Amino acid sequence: MRLAFFGGIYNNHLALATAIADARSRGVDAMWCLGDLGAFGPHPDRTCELIRENNISVVQGNYDHSIGHGLNDCHCGYTDPRDNHFAQLSYDYTLAHTSDDHRAWMRSLPAQQRLEINGLRLLLCHGSPRRTNEFLWESTTNTQFLARLCDDFECDVILGTHTGLHWTRSSDTGSGVFFRPPSPIHQVKLNDGGLKKTPDPFAFINVGVLGRPENDGTTNVWYTLLRTGNDVRGGRSPLPWEVEFVPLAYDHEQLAREMQDERLPDEFIETILTGWWTTCLEVLPSKERTRGRW
Amino acid sequence: MNVTEQRLPIIELGSLDELWFQVAGTRCNLTCSHCFISCSPHNDSFGFLSFAEVERRLLEAVEWGVKEFYFTGGEPFLNPELVAILERTLDFGPATVLTNGTVLKPEWLDRLRAAEQGSLYSLEFRVSIDGPTPELNDPIRGPRTFERALHGVELLVQFGFLPIITMARVWDESQDAEILGRFRAVLHLHGYDRPRLKVLPRLLLGAEAKRTCGYSASDRVTAEMLVGYDTTQLVCQHSRVITDRGIAVCPILIDSPDAILGHTLHDATRGFAVTHGACATCYQYGAICTNPSSRSPDAHVRTIDRT
């Protein structure tokens, strides 16, 4: 099987349309979106229409939950007043420009989705399986913790988004210190009790986002292809799946023009045109923050 | 179980996400007048943790799937093994060290820079400075500590770190925006062009209880207040602290006898009655000990009725 996973769209309907065409050209069997359809960009309804017209299944993100229920803010999980200021601007814009029909549809979206494909148990979520708006950053999430999540939620692969940065870690590529016993606190949940001497392979995949570039000075955005079964192309990975992060160029200058026409903040437009984040930076851990310009 | 026990506000350990190390015990080169565990050059209530002890606990933590490791004191860099301890920790996961920034040496930072670059994980420095001027900071932290801590920040920036400047709110909460703005300007002048700032509420324990006032009897969390409350906001729901006297429930209460829960992680997983005044501060503000990247305060943290 070949599956395409799109992370936060953030109203970037131009990137979404390009991603759908790109994924189709690669012969994917299905497309999924892991939530946060709104925020940041222009014309929220255009994103919703594209998602629904193309039968893309969606997991509800914190943004979709908030917009769907008409809450006061996005519950993105920011801590800094400046971050919250900009988050509120895009939230108010998105709420005001999302139709009632799309909002009702957002309310109906599932918070998680489980898939069983080629014997693999996939868990699709937005932030983490235990909290929709939990940030799982590459540099602050260790391999043992990911193993525990897979044990606790009885799955082999967890897919999420929310942070805006794609990354993956598996039992094959983790840190030098690793083994995968059932953690004592949850041992009671397991039937076999003792330590597993031959750990089952597992992975966490942050699929990236289509909504804005990745704070690396390039204007492209990212989505993720997952291959399983006979579609695994082989090579070095001994894992029964294969992850490919796809950089996607789209008409970002047209997006910037639309954002200007909608009077969205100059700071957001700068990010689209330069590839550097200018807002919502204070939640980044040091490694991720150091890689950016601001 | 009698009626009184039933009404205790017990918080169970939901998920052991963070393991703290009281790595310098209560020994500090400074004697801050607001320190909630009264650290000083002469406070030996808690001792240093050795490299071997920390490593043993890191291995124990693997089994638990602990996500992050925090190092505090006292002043962690008084522990002569700290650099080696942090280097080893970065094999296991992300590390955060809470320092006053006044004793940092370039050769240590050189090693730690290399250790972080060779690791999957972040090494965070949280540097305590209580305000953007010596006039605000020094009466609390001691003469010339503002200047010395800023020198430490300059060193960290020179070595490529982005320290989180952590301040106890020794001003009125309504002044937060103004103080933070002034702090950013000062840090820019010292070469730190993208400062990261974290404000902590004061904890009315230890030296701070003598400096201002302690908690009143009404500053308490009750079982009723926990109904509908997101208990993941409380440190004791997701953390434990390794000290040389046992494993404590949280970094704030180590001086309280009931806060030492046992000597193995397994012993220390039992629930804790959040009956201290500081528990009310934790309840009110949420996520006060962890880094902003790891756990954000709930948008709807509760206020304490102080009537």
Side-chain angles (χ1 to χ4, degrees):
Chain A
M1 291 280 277
R2 290 179 228 187
L3 304 175
F5 292 96
F6 307 141
I9 315 294
Y10 307 164
N11 294 335
N12 192 342
H13 62 96
L14 295 172
L16 175 61
T18 308
I20 292 168
D22 190 81
R24 286 227 168 95
S25 74
R26 293 166 187 264
V28 299
D29 297 295
M31 293 180 276
W32 283 85
C33 174
L34 302 187
D36 277 6
L37 306 176
F40 208 76
H43 308 303
D45 281 349
R46 294 185 190 175
T47 289
C48 296
E49 285 154 15
L50 274 172
I51 291 273
R52 297 175 75 176
E53 284 166 6
N54 287 279
N55 294 319
I56 297 171
S57 304
V58 183
V59 167
Q60 186 184 61
N62 51 283
Y63 225 93
D64 315 314
H65 180 267
S66 287
I67 294 286
H69 290 88
L71 304 185
N72 291 330
D73 64 65
C74 65
H75 290 253
C76 292
Y78 301 132
T79 56
D80 183 75
R82 182 174 180 274
D83 289 351
N84 280 320
H85 166 73
F86 281 105
Q88 196 64 43
L89 290 178
S90 53
Y91 183 77
D92 291 344
Y93 170 85
T94 302
L95 183 61
H97 292 84
T98 304
S99 74
D100 288 345
D101 176 54
H102 291 319
R103 288 181 54 218
W105 167 69
M106 286 178 188
R107 287 196 293 277
S108 73
L109 297 172
Q112 294 186 1
Q113 185 69 46
R114 287 180 183 272
L115 304 176
E116 186 143 349
I117 295 173
N118 296 125
L120 285 177
R121 299 166 303 165
L122 309 184
L123 178 55
L124 282 51
C125 61
H126 180 72
S128 86
R130 61 185 193 171
R131 193 178 182 103
T132 297
N133 68 352
E134 180 169 16
F135 292 105
L136 294 182
W137 305 100
E138 182 174 17
S139 83
T140 58
T141 306
N142 69 5
T143 314
Q144 295 76 39
F145 175 76
L146 295 174
R148 169 152 68 91
L149 279 186
C150 288
D151 270 345
D152 287 354
F153 290 89
E154 298 176 336
C155 59
D156 303 307
V157 180
I158 297 170
L159 297 106
T161 175
H162 190 57
T163 66
L165 301 175
H166 73 267
W167 65 280
T168 187
R169 181 130 10 99
S170 71
S171 44
D172 189 50
T173 58
S175 63
V177 179
F178 170 72
F179 67 103
R180 190 199 191 193
S183 52
I185 195 171
H186 299 289
Q187 205 161 14
V188 66
K189 291 183 183 175
L190 301 171
N191 295 326
D192 59 351
L195 305 184
K196 289 179 185 168
K197 290 182 180 167
T198 308
D200 301 326
F202 69 88
F204 175 82
I205 304 167
N206 186 313
V207 304
V209 294
L210 291 174
R212 65 172 177 172
E214 287 213 353
N215 199 24
D216 60 0
T218 65
T219 56
N220 60 265
V221 293
W222 295 79
Y223 78 97
T224 296
L225 291 172
L226 182 70
R227 297 187 188 85
T228 63
N230 292 333
D231 285 304
V232 176
R233 296 179 301 187
R236 284 174 299 175
S237 173
L239 299 170
W241 63 80
E242 193 172 57
V243 180
E244 180 180 352
F245 294 118
V246 182
L248 189 78
Y250 71 101
D251 193 348
H252 64 281
E253 291 178 345
Q254 171 63 20
L255 186 78
R257 282 191 290 275
E258 291 184 15
M259 291 168 76
Q260 279 166 342
D261 290 344
E262 290 298 291
R263 300 178 189 279
L264 289 164
D266 290 342
E267 287 82 355
F268 293 177
I269 297 166
E270 182 183 337
T271 295
I272 294 299
L273 292 175
T274 65
W276 298 112
W277 292 3
T278 57
T279 59
C280 305
L281 290 159
E282 299 305 323
V283 291
L284 287 170
S286 70
K287 261 188 193 269
E288 284 82 351
R289 181 77 184 261
T290 305
R291 291 182 196 128
R293 174 181 286 179
W294 306 112
Chain B
M1 186 180 284
N2 63 36
V3 172
T4 307
E5 284 172 333
Q6 283 177 344
R7 293 186 61 78
L8 282 175
I10 303 281
I11 298 295
E12 301 293 341
L13 178 66
S15 173
L16 187 56
D17 288 356
E18 299 104 27
L19 193 60
W20 288 70
F21 293 91
Q22 194 73 25
V23 72
T26 41
R27 187 76 67 84
C28 189
N29 58 315
L30 306 182
T31 310
C32 300
S33 62
H34 66 354
C35 184
F36 55 87
I37 50 173
S38 311
C39 295
S40 77
H42 312 293
N43 186 344
D44 292 323
S45 303
F46 290 83
F48 290 174
L49 297 176
S50 68
F51 178 93
E53 169 66 358
V54 173
E55 187 177 51
R56 184 171 75 86
R57 297 298 191 178
L58 290 170
L59 285 164
E60 194 179 356
V62 169
E63 198 174 323
W64 289 75
V66 173
K67 181 169 175 274
E68 296 189 61
F69 305 98
Y70 288 76
F71 294 85
T72 189
E75 168 50 48
F77 281 94
L78 295 188
N79 184 326
E81 294 188 289
L82 185 75
V83 174
I85 285 171
L86 292 174
E87 288 171 333
R88 183 70 176 123
T89 302
L90 287 168
D91 290 335
F92 290 80
T96 297
V97 57
L98 281 58
T99 173
N100 61 40
T102 63
V103 296
L104 301 175
K105 292 183 179 175
E107 55 268 34
W108 296 344
L109 300 185
D110 199 29
R111 281 175 60 185
L112 292 173
R113 175 77 274 172
E116 194 201 26
Q117 284 176 339
S119 170
L120 289 170
Y121 306 118
S122 276
L123 171 61
E124 296 278 13
F125 287 85
R126 286 197 349 213
V127 179
S128 301
I129 308 176
D130 290 323
T133 64
E135 289 73 25
L136 266 173
N137 175 84
D138 289 2
I140 305 242
R141 306 188 69 82
R144 292 191 54 244
T145 52
F146 182 79
E147 176 191 335
R148 291 168 62 198
L150 271 184
H151 178 64
V153 170
E154 289 172 356
L155 261 184
L156 287 164
V157 172
Q158 283 170 23
F159 279 89
F161 293 107
L162 298 174
I164 299 168
I165 311 301
T166 307
M167 61 209 81
R169 185 181 286 116
V170 291
W171 50 82
D172 188 84
E173 198 164 341
S174 63
Q175 294 177 279
D176 273 4
E178 179 212 335
I179 297 269
L180 290 173
R182 286 166 63 194
F183 222 143
R184 286 196 179 91
V186 168
L187 290 162
H188 271 277
L189 288 175
H190 285 264
Y192 191 12
D193 60 4
R194 39 182 168 169
R196 304 158 78 203
L197 305 173
K198 178 178 170 73
V199 182
L200 294 172
R202 287 180 301 118
L203 294 156
L204 312 183
L205 298 173
E208 175 67 7
K210 294 176 187 154
R211 186 180 78 95
T212 52
C213 62
Y215 287 101
S216 71
S218 65
D219 295 326
R220 292 292 184 271
V221 177
T222 64
E224 289 74 23
M225 288 162 67
L226 293 176
V227 176
Y229 181 77
D230 174 10
T231 57
T232 67
Q233 296 296 310
L234 302 175
V235 181
C236 54
Q237 197 270 351
H238 47 80
S239 302
R240 289 295 183 260
V241 189
I242 307 293
T243 80
D244 72 330
R245 289 165 48 185
I247 299 177
V249 68
C250 81
I252 295 164
L253 294 176
I254 61 169
D255 272 339
S256 303
D258 64 326
I260 303 294
L261 299 177
H263 290 275
T264 67
L265 284 179
H266 189 267
D267 292 342
T269 57
R270 59 191 168 89
F272 181 73
V274 288
T275 53
H276 295 263
C279 302
T281 301
C282 196
Y283 176 96
Q284 180 176 359
Y285 289 96
I288 61 177
C289 293
T290 36
N291 296 336
S293 58
S294 294
R295 197 175 293 270
S296 55
D298 190 279
H300 307 289
V301 287
R302 306 295 176 85
T303 52
I304 301 286
D305 182 0
R306 298 180 70 104
T307 55

